[in-house]
Amino acid sequence: QVQVVESGGGSVQAGGSLRLSCAASGYTPSSNCMGWFRQAPGKEREGVAVIAIDGRTTYVDSVKGRFTISKDNAKNTLYLQMNGLKPEDTAMYYCAAEGRLCYYRQYAFLASAFPYWGQGTQVTVSS
């Protein structure tokens, strides 16, 4: 019943921008986090950005100043604005919902704390 659907991925040149969207439905929202994770071929999945219900955000160091996570509560939709894209940003990007440990900064990117996941949207950045 739960659906988490990402969109907005694509192929761009270095320095370009993309805006990812995530529509989540089929569950009763709590006060927990939503976030974005990514995984490149041959690399482990890593957290990119998370946002708590009170608006607090956490970013991985490599995207600070370039990416912005936000949420439209009226639409129950999560966004990731990605500017100044670099080839190393190339990955499959996944939306995750209902994270349980969002108020513990050290556990913000603990993937196992998020029960709901989308299928991913591909982002490819060429040099």
Side-chain angles (χ1 to χ4, degrees):
Q1 299 286 4
V2 175
Q3 291 189 320
V4 181
V5 182
E6 305 98 333
S7 62
S11 181
V12 299
Q13 292 188 331
S17 298
L18 286 172
R19 183 176 175 84
L20 306 184
S21 299
C22 170
S25 62
Y27 64 94
T28 301
S30 70
S31 59
N32 296 328
C33 290
M34 293 187 73
W36 293 95
F37 291 72
R38 66 186 181 186
Q39 186 167 23
K43 300 183 67 176
E44 295 184 357
R45 177 175 52 185
E46 68 170 347
V48 178
V50 298
I51 183 168
I53 192 66
D54 62 3
R56 287 185 293 175
T57 58
T58 303
Y59 297 91
V60 66
D61 287 345
S62 61
V63 309
K64 289 181 178 177
R66 299 189 296 121
F67 291 10
T68 302
I69 188 171
S70 62
K71 186 179 181 182
D72 185 333
N73 290 319
K75 298 181 179 180
N76 195 35
T77 301
L78 184 73
Y79 302 98
L80 184 67
Q81 179 66 47
M82 304 185 295
N83 298 325
L85 284 162
K86 303 176 180 180
E88 52 262 46
D89 294 318
T90 295
M92 184 73 74
Y93 283 71
Y94 298 93
C95 176
E98 292 293 279
R100 305 174 188 275
L101 303 174
C102 51
Y103 297 111
Y104 298 88
R105 295 283 181 168
Q106 62 180 324
Y107 300 124
F109 296 142
L110 184 63
S112 62
F114 290 85
Y116 306 135
W117 292 80
Q119 293 299 306
T121 185
Q122 179 68 39
V123 171
T124 302
V125 185
S126 60
S127 60

